[in-house]
Amino acid sequence: MEILMIEDNHSVCEMMAMFFKKEKWHCEFAYDGVEAEEKFNADPHKWDIILLDLNLPKKDGMQVAADIRRVSPTVPLIMLTARDTESDQVLGLEIGADDYVTKPFSTITLIARIKALYRRTHLNKLEDVQDTDSDDTFDIQTKNFKMNTKTREVFLYGKPVGDLTPKEFDLLKTLASKARQVFTRSQLLQLVWDYEYYGDERTVDAHIKKLRQKLENIGPQVIKTVWGVGYKFDDEGND
């Protein structure tokens, strides 16, 4: 695995370098926002995972994340930050982060999340390669919704849904594939992120919030909250 870790704390980098070496992963480090973009842009297709701290010198991590996403909408991106407010978390996810880890973090937990994100990303790529169905068919369809998981085309109420991040697409795919079934936050963490957050389920809520904002611009909301339980996709009562 090729990892780019963008972190200005040298002690944290040295610690993680030991863990990466144990896993036999190759990692390059960038210690400020400008150096990070230089290393990433030198070969954008090289990286399997980006680890990005938000509090960076020279260029803020949020801007670095936005610049990375403009170059590569799909490279797996995990944000590392001491900022623990919901607004920062939602903003990071809106920019396109796949995961959000607050400091101080457990190295074992971070390694597990890297493995899960890498596994999930490559499983999706493998499914795309192996699937020989025609690209002009929709493999998920409900009353007012259809999705082609190969071409990643989504239509709601006959209108295209664009600008979905990879995690938003996977979340919508999971919910819509079993319409009207209620998923708990823990189930969505396991199905969409492929691991547990050890009680921290805010990432699901943040992704749901951003996904709803994009869908409600098209028509009546199809992602419903089941209070005290979780979420479900239901467009049966919508015209």
Side-chain angles (χ1 to χ4, degrees), residues 14-117:
E14 291 173 1
M15 175 186 66
M16 293 308 305
M18 292 187 294
F19 281 88
F20 294 149
K21 183 177 181 180
K22 183 178 179 181
E23 296 290 339
K24 297 182 180 179
W25 298 341
H26 178 257
C27 183
E28 293 187 26
F29 296 92
Y31 302 102
D32 62 64
V34 173
E35 181 186 11
E37 292 195 5
E38 290 175 351
K39 288 197 172 186
F40 176 78
N41 291 329
D43 189 358
H45 301 292
K46 172 182 179 180
W47 310 107
D48 295 304
I49 298 282
I50 306 293
L51 304 178
L52 172 63
D53 182 31
L54 293 188
N55 297 315
L56 294 171
K58 296 187 179 180
K59 197 167 191 177
D60 183 75
M62 288 289 190
Q63 184 59 55
V64 174
D67 292 342
I68 287 175
R69 274 290 172 251
R70 276 192 286 271
V71 176
S72 174
T74 59
V75 62
L77 174 61
I78 299 177
M79 286 187 170
L80 310 174
T81 180
R83 304 177 189 177
D84 195 20
T85 65
E86 184 178 358
S87 60
D88 284 324
Q89 184 181 27
V90 171
L91 179 57
L93 297 172
E94 181 178 0
I95 290 173
D98 296 291
D99 196 356
Y100 191 100
V101 181
T102 55
K103 296 179 179 179
F105 56 81
S106 162
T107 53
I108 295 175
T109 299
L110 179 58
I111 292 294
R113 293 189 180 187
I114 292 172
K115 288 180 177 179
L117 181 55

